[in-house]
Amino acid sequence: MKLITILLLCSRLLPSLAQEEGAQELNCNDETVFQAVDTALKKYNAELESGNQFVLYRVTKGTKKDGAETLYSFKYQIKEGNCSVQSGLTWQDCDFKDAEEAATGECTTTLGKKENKFSVATQICNITPGKGPKKTEEDLCVGCFQPIPMDSSDLKPVLKHAVEHFNNNTKHTHLFALREVKSAHSQVVAGMNYKIIYSIVQTNCSKEDFPSLREDCVPLPYGDHGECTGHTHVDIHNTIAGFSQSCDLYPGDDLFELLPKNCRGCPREIPVDSPELKEALGHSIAQLNAQHNHIFYFKIDTVKKATSQVVAGVIYVIEFIARETNCSKQSKTELTADCETKHLGQSLNCNANVYMRPWENKVVPTVRCQALDMMISRPPGFSPFRLVRVQETKEGTTRLLNSCEYKGRLSKARAGPAPDHQAEASTVTS
Ligand SMILES: *[C@@H]1O[C@H](CO)[C@@H](O)[C@H](O)[C@H]1NC(C)=O
Ligand SMILES: *[C@@H]1O[C@H](CO)[C@@H](O)[C@H](O)[C@H]1NC(C)=O
Ligand SMILES: *[C@@H]1O[C@H](CO)[C@@H](O)[C@H](O)[C@H]1NC(C)=O
Ligand SMILES: *[C@@H]1O[C@H](CO)[C@@H](O)[C@H](O)[C@H]1NC(C)=O
């Protein structure tokens, strides 16, 4: 029980080992640990040409350093999974391969964070092959992925499918179009596999008005954009038989920055309490509540900034803070005046863009929000990790390190005598 007590007290990763100046350690319950490592591992898997994907085993070190851009650095251990790189599954869907044959690895990565998205700056993974049957160079290269020209006509139907799939399966208000193909590889199997990296961009066609993308939907210069990796299997009959893609969406540039001040038809700032804003705010919060997957309605708390611009209609650009109320979506069909903000509820910082054409009764609201970091204690069981103490023997000295072990896939191939019971606070009494 003593060990467990220590374990519960030390909730931080790797105490002060060669700590970088100003870097702050992250603990397993910090949700950025999983988000960042997930981003890094997905990138590593996406770049593998053949073989199996790797699955997260545990994170042994995580630090964060604030600056102009927040920098994160992690050390994490991975194990070979049982699903292939081409399977289109994400690593969370794979199980560990049998212990003996599985390759293992340790990755060191640094990431930046912008607009709430992580991007991998550097990553090095050292992989130790498993004891399985050795693969020869030839085995590995039969049916390797080969680069193909990015303007290849074979890619057209695949990319069309990819963009359609994206548009069918995202909640975004607008349709997206292909912007650019960044790389393309194909592999001859029974049929053909394609691996394509491409970017997409928001167009001026809203989903409400257009069931699918048309020729006259043009990319918005300030639109949201995404970076996608897609895997496609085209069978011998030339039909798309398997498809998966993952896209990272980035919010577009802010209208405020793009348009010059003091010009006719340019956005003009309006007082945040202007009655003129009332309708646009109503549309904004309705849109937010419709697209935000949350049990409770949000209401507008504070309007921080607003502009209007006369085009063929009026565009309102509004920045506001929305807060969670005590009205659940289950109990009410809409937000009403008697819904009060919750004392410890979630807050969102939102940017809305509301296009109104009153004579046609047309309103196109676009809202995007980011959670304001509030230190609300999270419900137990939130973290995908559990804290474990790991013995590390290096140059004859043994130390105990804290590490965050991924709880998702632990059915096979545990290294070492990890405890079988989850050593979590809720299950331990001493
Ligand atoms: C991986 O292993 C799990 C559990 O043994 C199994 O359910 C799953 O189908 C396997 N996946 C693949 C792609 O073989
Ligand atoms: C997208 O949805 C349309 C309409 O429901 C459908 O015809 C089309 O096949 C879908 N495309 C993809 C790639 O899912
Ligand atoms: C999108 O922009 C194009 C070019 O300006 C225009 O022809 C088209 O009508 C616009 N579509 C919508 C839905 O606004
Ligand atoms: C929300 O709180 C207010 C003030 O306490 C109360 O009047 C109202 O009935 C509550 N609404 C719900 C749905 O609980």
Side-chain angles (χ1 to χ4, degrees), residues 146-160 178-186 194-199:
Q146 304 290 347
I148 54 170
M150 288 184 271
D151 54 2
S152 159
S153 61
D154 294 346
L155 291 180
K156 285 225 171 71
V158 175
L159 288 165
K160 181 169 176 288
L178 179 72
R179 176 146 80 183
E180 187 190 1
V181 179
K182 301 204 157 160
S183 80
H185 288 79
S186 72
Y194 292 98
K195 183 170 110 176
I196 317 171
I197 298 174
Y198 47 94
S199 60

PDB file of all heavy atoms in Angstrom, residues 146-160 178-186 194-199:
ATOM      1  N   GLN A 146       4.254   3.761 -54.013  1.00  0.00           N
ATOM      2  CA  GLN A 146       5.140   4.548 -54.871  1.00  0.00           C
ATOM      3  C   GLN A 146       4.518   5.923 -55.081  1.00  0.00           C
ATOM      4  O   GLN A 146       3.320   6.019 -55.252  1.00  0.00           O
ATOM      5  CB  GLN A 146       5.274   3.879 -56.248  1.00  0.00           C
ATOM      6  CG  GLN A 146       5.749   2.441 -56.216  1.00  0.00           C
ATOM      7  CD  GLN A 146       7.202   2.320 -55.801  1.00  0.00           C
ATOM      8  OE1 GLN A 146       7.922   3.330 -55.759  1.00  0.00           O
ATOM      9  NE2 GLN A 146       7.626   1.108 -55.484  1.00  0.00           N
ATOM     10  N   PRO A 147       5.378   6.945 -55.115  1.00  0.00           N
ATOM     11  CA  PRO A 147       4.821   8.279 -55.392  1.00  0.00           C
ATOM     12  C   PRO A 147       4.219   8.334 -56.798  1.00  0.00           C
ATOM     13  O   PRO A 147       4.749   7.697 -57.712  1.00  0.00           O
ATOM     14  CB  PRO A 147       6.026   9.212 -55.306  1.00  0.00           C
ATOM     15  CG  PRO A 147       7.174   8.391 -54.861  1.00  0.00           C
ATOM     16  CD  PRO A 147       6.822   6.945 -54.913  1.00  0.00           C
ATOM     17  N   ILE A 148       3.137   9.033 -56.956  1.00  0.00           N
ATOM     18  CA  ILE A 148       2.579   9.248 -58.289  1.00  0.00           C
ATOM     19  C   ILE A 148       2.363  10.746 -58.498  1.00  0.00           C
ATOM     20  O   ILE A 148       2.296  11.500 -57.524  1.00  0.00           O
ATOM     21  CB  ILE A 148       1.241   8.489 -58.497  1.00  0.00           C
ATOM     22  CG1 ILE A 148       0.234   8.831 -57.388  1.00  0.00           C
ATOM     23  CG2 ILE A 148       1.444   6.989 -58.563  1.00  0.00           C
ATOM     24  CD1 ILE A 148      -1.158   8.311 -57.657  1.00  0.00           C
ATOM     25  N   PRO A 149       2.280  11.187 -59.749  1.00  0.00           N
ATOM     26  CA  PRO A 149       2.124  12.620 -59.994  1.00  0.00           C
ATOM     27  C   PRO A 149       0.847  13.143 -59.342  1.00  0.00           C
ATOM     28  O   PRO A 149      -0.177  12.458 -59.353  1.00  0.00           O
ATOM     29  CB  PRO A 149       2.001  12.734 -61.518  1.00  0.00           C
ATOM     30  CG  PRO A 149       2.456  11.436 -62.056  1.00  0.00           C
ATOM     31  CD  PRO A 149       2.305  10.404 -60.998  1.00  0.00           C
ATOM     32  N   MET A 150       0.939  14.337 -58.787  1.00  0.00           N
ATOM     33  CA  MET A 150      -0.188  14.855 -58.025  1.00  0.00           C
ATOM     34  C   MET A 150      -1.336  15.287 -58.921  1.00  0.00           C
ATOM     35  O   MET A 150      -2.443  15.483 -58.457  1.00  0.00           O
ATOM     36  CB  MET A 150       0.281  15.992 -57.137  1.00  0.00           C
ATOM     37  CG  MET A 150       1.130  15.455 -55.995  1.00  0.00           C
ATOM     38  SD  MET A 150       1.607  16.723 -54.879  1.00  0.00           S
ATOM     39  CE  MET A 150       3.118  17.279 -55.604  1.00  0.00           C
ATOM     40  N   ASP A 151      -1.052  15.408 -60.231  1.00  0.00           N
ATOM     41  CA  ASP A 151      -2.143  15.783 -61.140  1.00  0.00           C
ATOM     42  C   ASP A 151      -2.648  14.564 -61.915  1.00  0.00           C
ATOM     43  O   ASP A 151      -3.361  14.694 -62.898  1.00  0.00           O
ATOM     44  CB  ASP A 151      -1.689  16.894 -62.087  1.00  0.00           C
ATOM     45  CG  ASP A 151      -0.420  16.507 -62.834  1.00  0.00           C
ATOM     46  OD1 ASP A 151       0.076  15.377 -62.635  1.00  0.00           O
ATOM     47  OD2 ASP A 151       0.082  17.334 -63.616  1.00  0.00           O
ATOM     48  N   SER A 152      -2.242  13.379 -61.481  1.00  0.00           N
ATOM     49  CA  SER A 152      -2.668  12.152 -62.160  1.00  0.00           C
ATOM     50  C   SER A 152      -4.198  12.079 -62.254  1.00  0.00           C
ATOM     51  O   SER A 152      -4.909  12.374 -61.294  1.00  0.00           O
ATOM     52  CB  SER A 152      -2.143  10.950 -61.376  1.00  0.00           C
ATOM     53  OG  SER A 152      -2.893   9.799 -61.687  1.00  0.00           O
ATOM     54  N   SER A 153      -4.681  11.677 -63.414  1.00  0.00           N
ATOM     55  CA  SER A 153      -6.140  11.656 -63.597  1.00  0.00           C
ATOM     56  C   SER A 153      -6.775  10.541 -62.756  1.00  0.00           C
ATOM     57  O   SER A 153      -7.959  10.595 -62.445  1.00  0.00           O
ATOM     58  CB  SER A 153      -6.499  11.484 -65.069  1.00  0.00           C
ATOM     59  OG  SER A 153      -5.982  10.255 -65.518  1.00  0.00           O
ATOM     60  N   ASP A 154      -5.971   9.551 -62.363  1.00  0.00           N
ATOM     61  CA  ASP A 154      -6.492   8.494 -61.481  1.00  0.00           C
ATOM     62  C   ASP A 154      -6.965   9.048 -60.146  1.00  0.00           C
ATOM     63  O   ASP A 154      -7.784   8.451 -59.462  1.00  0.00           O
ATOM     64  CB  ASP A 154      -5.389   7.464 -61.177  1.00  0.00           C
ATOM     65  CG  ASP A 154      -4.986   6.707 -62.415  1.00  0.00           C
ATOM     66  OD1 ASP A 154      -5.734   6.785 -63.421  1.00  0.00           O
ATOM     67  OD2 ASP A 154      -3.935   6.047 -62.394  1.00  0.00           O
ATOM     68  N   LEU A 155      -6.393  10.183 -59.777  1.00  0.00           N
ATOM     69  CA  LEU A 155      -6.700  10.731 -58.456  1.00  0.00           C
ATOM     70  C   LEU A 155      -8.034  11.461 -58.426  1.00  0.00           C
ATOM     71  O   LEU A 155      -8.626  11.638 -57.369  1.00  0.00           O
ATOM     72  CB  LEU A 155      -5.609  11.710 -58.019  1.00  0.00           C
ATOM     73  CG  LEU A 155      -4.258  11.111 -57.693  1.00  0.00           C
ATOM     74  CD1 LEU A 155      -3.300  12.213 -57.270  1.00  0.00           C
ATOM     75  CD2 LEU A 155      -4.396  10.101 -56.566  1.00  0.00           C
ATOM     76  N   LYS A 156      -8.484  11.894 -59.597  1.00  0.00           N
ATOM     77  CA  LYS A 156      -9.699  12.733 -59.651  1.00  0.00           C
ATOM     78  C   LYS A 156     -10.896  12.120 -58.931  1.00  0.00           C
ATOM     79  O   LYS A 156     -11.467  12.746 -58.041  1.00  0.00           O
ATOM     80  CB  LYS A 156     -10.052  13.048 -61.105  1.00  0.00           C
ATOM     81  CG  LYS A 156      -9.137  14.090 -61.726  1.00  0.00           C
ATOM     82  CD  LYS A 156      -9.942  15.130 -62.504  1.00  0.00           C
ATOM     83  CE  LYS A 156      -9.071  16.293 -62.931  1.00  0.00           C
ATOM     84  NZ  LYS A 156      -8.120  15.893 -64.005  1.00  0.00           N
ATOM     85  N   PRO A 157     -11.290  10.881 -59.309  1.00  0.00           N
ATOM     86  CA  PRO A 157     -12.459  10.298 -58.627  1.00  0.00           C
ATOM     87  C   PRO A 157     -12.216  10.090 -57.131  1.00  0.00           C
ATOM     88  O   PRO A 157     -13.123  10.228 -56.314  1.00  0.00           O
ATOM     89  CB  PRO A 157     -12.666   8.961 -59.340  1.00  0.00           C
ATOM     90  CG  PRO A 157     -11.423   8.688 -60.094  1.00  0.00           C
ATOM     91  CD  PRO A 157     -10.771   9.995 -60.368  1.00  0.00           C
ATOM     92  N   VAL A 158     -10.966   9.787 -56.785  1.00  0.00           N
ATOM     93  CA  VAL A 158     -10.639   9.551 -55.380  1.00  0.00           C
ATOM     94  C   VAL A 158     -10.780  10.844 -54.575  1.00  0.00           C
ATOM     95  O   VAL A 158     -11.369  10.873 -53.492  1.00  0.00           O
ATOM     96  CB  VAL A 158      -9.204   8.990 -55.258  1.00  0.00           C
ATOM     97  CG1 VAL A 158      -8.805   8.849 -53.809  1.00  0.00           C
ATOM     98  CG2 VAL A 158      -9.085   7.661 -55.995  1.00  0.00           C
ATOM     99  N   LEU A 159     -10.269  11.921 -55.137  1.00  0.00           N
ATOM    100  CA  LEU A 159     -10.347  13.208 -54.445  1.00  0.00           C
ATOM    101  C   LEU A 159     -11.787  13.716 -54.381  1.00  0.00           C
ATOM    102  O   LEU A 159     -12.211  14.285 -53.382  1.00  0.00           O
ATOM    103  CB  LEU A 159      -9.453  14.232 -55.145  1.00  0.00           C
ATOM    104  CG  LEU A 159      -7.966  13.985 -54.946  1.00  0.00           C
ATOM    105  CD1 LEU A 159      -7.143  14.790 -55.928  1.00  0.00           C
ATOM    106  CD2 LEU A 159      -7.559  14.342 -53.511  1.00  0.00           C
ATOM    107  N   LYS A 160     -12.523  13.476 -55.434  1.00  0.00           N
ATOM    108  CA  LYS A 160     -13.929  13.896 -55.454  1.00  0.00           C
ATOM    109  C   LYS A 160     -14.671  13.174 -54.315  1.00  0.00           C
ATOM    110  O   LYS A 160     -15.412  13.783 -53.549  1.00  0.00           O
ATOM    111  CB  LYS A 160     -14.549  13.547 -56.803  1.00  0.00           C
ATOM    112  CG  LYS A 160     -16.000  13.964 -56.918  1.00  0.00           C
ATOM    113  CD  LYS A 160     -16.475  13.849 -58.371  1.00  0.00           C
ATOM    114  CE  LYS A 160     -17.959  14.177 -58.498  1.00  0.00           C
ATOM    115  NZ  LYS A 160     -18.831  13.139 -57.957  1.00  0.00           N
ATOM    116  N   LEU A 178     -11.705  21.124 -52.638  1.00  0.00           N
ATOM    117  CA  LEU A 178     -10.291  20.773 -52.625  1.00  0.00           C
ATOM    118  C   LEU A 178      -9.460  22.024 -52.888  1.00  0.00           C
ATOM    119  O   LEU A 178      -9.798  22.824 -53.748  1.00  0.00           O
ATOM    120  CB  LEU A 178     -10.014  19.751 -53.729  1.00  0.00           C
ATOM    121  CG  LEU A 178      -8.563  19.307 -53.842  1.00  0.00           C
ATOM    122  CD1 LEU A 178      -8.207  18.406 -52.666  1.00  0.00           C
ATOM    123  CD2 LEU A 178      -8.327  18.592 -55.149  1.00  0.00           C
ATOM    124  N   ARG A 179      -8.415  22.211 -52.120  1.00  0.00           N
ATOM    125  CA  ARG A 179      -7.536  23.335 -52.410  1.00  0.00           C
ATOM    126  C   ARG A 179      -6.296  22.848 -53.153  1.00  0.00           C
ATOM    127  O   ARG A 179      -5.979  23.314 -54.209  1.00  0.00           O
ATOM    128  CB  ARG A 179      -7.132  24.053 -51.118  1.00  0.00           C
ATOM    129  CG  ARG A 179      -6.138  25.176 -51.382  1.00  0.00           C
ATOM    130  CD  ARG A 179      -6.316  26.349 -50.442  1.00  0.00           C
ATOM    131  NE  ARG A 179      -5.703  26.066 -49.158  1.00  0.00           N
ATOM    132  CZ  ARG A 179      -5.763  26.912 -48.131  1.00  0.00           C
ATOM    133  NH1 ARG A 179      -6.404  28.049 -48.235  1.00  0.00           N
ATOM    134  NH2 ARG A 179      -5.198  26.604 -46.994  1.00  0.00           N
ATOM    135  N   GLU A 180      -5.622  21.866 -52.592  1.00  0.00           N
ATOM    136  CA  GLU A 180      -4.331  21.493 -53.159  1.00  0.00           C
ATOM    137  C   GLU A 180      -4.001  20.046 -52.788  1.00  0.00           C
ATOM    138  O   GLU A 180      -4.308  19.614 -51.678  1.00  0.00           O
ATOM    139  CB  GLU A 180      -3.282  22.424 -52.531  1.00  0.00           C
ATOM    140  CG  GLU A 180      -1.920  22.315 -53.098  1.00  0.00           C
ATOM    141  CD  GLU A 180      -0.883  23.086 -52.267  1.00  0.00           C
ATOM    142  OE1 GLU A 180      -1.255  23.687 -51.226  1.00  0.00           O
ATOM    143  OE2 GLU A 180       0.281  23.057 -52.648  1.00  0.00           O
ATOM    144  N   VAL A 181      -3.395  19.324 -53.722  1.00  0.00           N
ATOM    145  CA  VAL A 181      -2.893  17.993 -53.395  1.00  0.00           C
ATOM    146  C   VAL A 181      -1.443  18.165 -52.968  1.00  0.00           C
ATOM    147  O   VAL A 181      -0.674  18.832 -53.656  1.00  0.00           O
ATOM    148  CB  VAL A 181      -2.971  17.043 -54.608  1.00  0.00           C
ATOM    149  CG1 VAL A 181      -2.417  15.678 -54.250  1.00  0.00           C
ATOM    150  CG2 VAL A 181      -4.400  16.930 -55.085  1.00  0.00           C
ATOM    151  N   LYS A 182      -1.086  17.597 -51.823  1.00  0.00           N
ATOM    152  CA  LYS A 182       0.270  17.830 -51.329  1.00  0.00           C
ATOM    153  C   LYS A 182       1.198  16.658 -51.600  1.00  0.00           C
ATOM    154  O   LYS A 182       2.377  16.827 -51.787  1.00  0.00           O
ATOM    155  CB  LYS A 182       0.226  18.128 -49.835  1.00  0.00           C
ATOM    156  CG  LYS A 182      -0.636  19.347 -49.584  1.00  0.00           C
ATOM    157  CD  LYS A 182      -0.273  20.020 -48.309  1.00  0.00           C
ATOM    158  CE  LYS A 182      -0.713  21.463 -48.353  1.00  0.00           C
ATOM    159  NZ  LYS A 182      -0.826  22.040 -47.031  1.00  0.00           N
ATOM    160  N   SER A 183       0.623  15.448 -51.574  1.00  0.00           N
ATOM    161  CA  SER A 183       1.422  14.306 -51.983  1.00  0.00           C
ATOM    162  C   SER A 183       0.480  13.165 -52.321  1.00  0.00           C
ATOM    163  O   SER A 183      -0.648  13.123 -51.837  1.00  0.00           O
ATOM    164  CB  SER A 183       2.406  13.885 -50.888  1.00  0.00           C
ATOM    165  OG  SER A 183       1.740  13.113 -49.917  1.00  0.00           O
ATOM    166  N   ALA A 184       0.922  12.284 -53.190  1.00  0.00           N
ATOM    167  CA  ALA A 184       0.077  11.154 -53.582  1.00  0.00           C
ATOM    168  C   ALA A 184       0.945   9.925 -53.796  1.00  0.00           C
ATOM    169  O   ALA A 184       2.023  10.009 -54.382  1.00  0.00           O
ATOM    170  CB  ALA A 184      -0.693  11.496 -54.851  1.00  0.00           C
ATOM    171  N   HIS A 185       0.499   8.803 -53.246  1.00  0.00           N
ATOM    172  CA  HIS A 185       1.201   7.533 -53.416  1.00  0.00           C
ATOM    173  C   HIS A 185       0.191   6.481 -53.818  1.00  0.00           C
ATOM    174  O   HIS A 185      -0.957   6.537 -53.401  1.00  0.00           O
ATOM    175  CB  HIS A 185       1.862   7.092 -52.098  1.00  0.00           C
ATOM    176  CG  HIS A 185       3.044   7.919 -51.729  1.00  0.00           C
ATOM    177  ND1 HIS A 185       2.905   9.159 -51.152  1.00  0.00           N
ATOM    178  CD2 HIS A 185       4.372   7.695 -51.864  1.00  0.00           C
ATOM    179  CE1 HIS A 185       4.116   9.672 -50.944  1.00  0.00           C
ATOM    180  NE2 HIS A 185       5.032   8.799 -51.361  1.00  0.00           N
ATOM    181  N   SER A 186       0.638   5.529 -54.607  1.00  0.00           N
ATOM    182  CA  SER A 186      -0.272   4.424 -54.903  1.00  0.00           C
ATOM    183  C   SER A 186       0.458   3.119 -54.690  1.00  0.00           C
ATOM    184  O   SER A 186       1.688   3.060 -54.642  1.00  0.00           O
ATOM    185  CB  SER A 186      -0.802   4.519 -56.335  1.00  0.00           C
ATOM    186  OG  SER A 186       0.227   4.187 -57.228  1.00  0.00           O
ATOM    187  N   TYR A 194      -4.531   4.036 -52.628  1.00  0.00           N
ATOM    188  CA  TYR A 194      -3.991   5.383 -52.745  1.00  0.00           C
ATOM    189  C   TYR A 194      -3.834   5.989 -51.374  1.00  0.00           C
ATOM    190  O   TYR A 194      -4.694   5.805 -50.507  1.00  0.00           O
ATOM    191  CB  TYR A 194      -4.931   6.286 -53.550  1.00  0.00           C
ATOM    192  CG  TYR A 194      -5.038   5.906 -55.000  1.00  0.00           C
ATOM    193  CD1 TYR A 194      -6.105   5.142 -55.447  1.00  0.00           C
ATOM    194  CD2 TYR A 194      -4.065   6.302 -55.909  1.00  0.00           C
ATOM    195  CE1 TYR A 194      -6.208   4.780 -56.784  1.00  0.00           C
ATOM    196  CE2 TYR A 194      -4.156   5.944 -57.241  1.00  0.00           C
ATOM    197  CZ  TYR A 194      -5.230   5.190 -57.674  1.00  0.00           C
ATOM    198  OH  TYR A 194      -5.319   4.832 -58.987  1.00  0.00           O
ATOM    199  N   LYS A 195      -2.736   6.684 -51.214  1.00  0.00           N
ATOM    200  CA  LYS A 195      -2.568   7.476 -50.000  1.00  0.00           C
ATOM    201  C   LYS A 195      -2.300   8.905 -50.442  1.00  0.00           C
ATOM    202  O   LYS A 195      -1.316   9.173 -51.129  1.00  0.00           O
ATOM    203  CB  LYS A 195      -1.383   6.946 -49.196  1.00  0.00           C
ATOM    204  CG  LYS A 195      -1.194   7.671 -47.888  1.00  0.00           C
ATOM    205  CD  LYS A 195      -0.187   6.958 -47.018  1.00  0.00           C
ATOM    206  CE  LYS A 195       1.069   7.792 -46.932  1.00  0.00           C
ATOM    207  NZ  LYS A 195       2.068   7.224 -46.036  1.00  0.00           N
ATOM    208  N   ILE A 196      -3.191   9.810 -50.092  1.00  0.00           N
ATOM    209  CA  ILE A 196      -3.080  11.176 -50.596  1.00  0.00           C
ATOM    210  C   ILE A 196      -3.150  12.158 -49.435  1.00  0.00           C
ATOM    211  O   ILE A 196      -3.956  11.996 -48.520  1.00  0.00           O
ATOM    212  CB  ILE A 196      -4.227  11.515 -51.578  1.00  0.00           C
ATOM    213  CG1 ILE A 196      -4.470  10.339 -52.534  1.00  0.00           C
ATOM    214  CG2 ILE A 196      -3.908  12.760 -52.372  1.00  0.00           C
ATOM    215  CD1 ILE A 196      -5.718  10.520 -53.379  1.00  0.00           C
ATOM    216  N   ILE A 197      -2.295  13.139 -49.491  1.00  0.00           N
ATOM    217  CA  ILE A 197      -2.352  14.222 -48.506  1.00  0.00           C
ATOM    218  C   ILE A 197      -2.792  15.474 -49.252  1.00  0.00           C
ATOM    219  O   ILE A 197      -2.247  15.790 -50.316  1.00  0.00           O
ATOM    220  CB  ILE A 197      -0.978  14.422 -47.835  1.00  0.00           C
ATOM    221  CG1 ILE A 197      -0.606  13.140 -47.080  1.00  0.00           C
ATOM    222  CG2 ILE A 197      -1.005  15.616 -46.887  1.00  0.00           C
ATOM    223  CD1 ILE A 197       0.777  13.146 -46.486  1.00  0.00           C
ATOM    224  N   TYR A 198      -3.824  16.129 -48.751  1.00  0.00           N
ATOM    225  CA  TYR A 198      -4.372  17.255 -49.491  1.00  0.00           C
ATOM    226  C   TYR A 198      -4.988  18.261 -48.540  1.00  0.00           C
ATOM    227  O   TYR A 198      -5.200  17.970 -47.364  1.00  0.00           O
ATOM    228  CB  TYR A 198      -5.423  16.779 -50.505  1.00  0.00           C
ATOM    229  CG  TYR A 198      -6.425  15.821 -49.929  1.00  0.00           C
ATOM    230  CD1 TYR A 198      -7.635  16.273 -49.433  1.00  0.00           C
ATOM    231  CD2 TYR A 198      -6.149  14.460 -49.853  1.00  0.00           C
ATOM    232  CE1 TYR A 198      -8.544  15.392 -48.867  1.00  0.00           C
ATOM    233  CE2 TYR A 198      -7.045  13.570 -49.297  1.00  0.00           C
ATOM    234  CZ  TYR A 198      -8.233  14.045 -48.808  1.00  0.00           C
ATOM    235  OH  TYR A 198      -9.115  13.170 -48.240  1.00  0.00           O
ATOM    236  N   SER A 199      -5.243  19.444 -49.066  1.00  0.00           N
ATOM    237  CA  SER A 199      -5.876  20.460 -48.228  1.00  0.00           C
ATOM    238  C   SER A 199      -7.227  20.836 -48.828  1.00  0.00           C
ATOM    239  O   SER A 199      -7.440  20.720 -50.028  1.00  0.00           O
ATOM    240  CB  SER A 199      -4.979  21.683 -48.085  1.00  0.00           C
ATOM    241  OG  SER A 199      -4.725  22.238 -49.346  1.00  0.00           O
TER     242      SER A 199
END
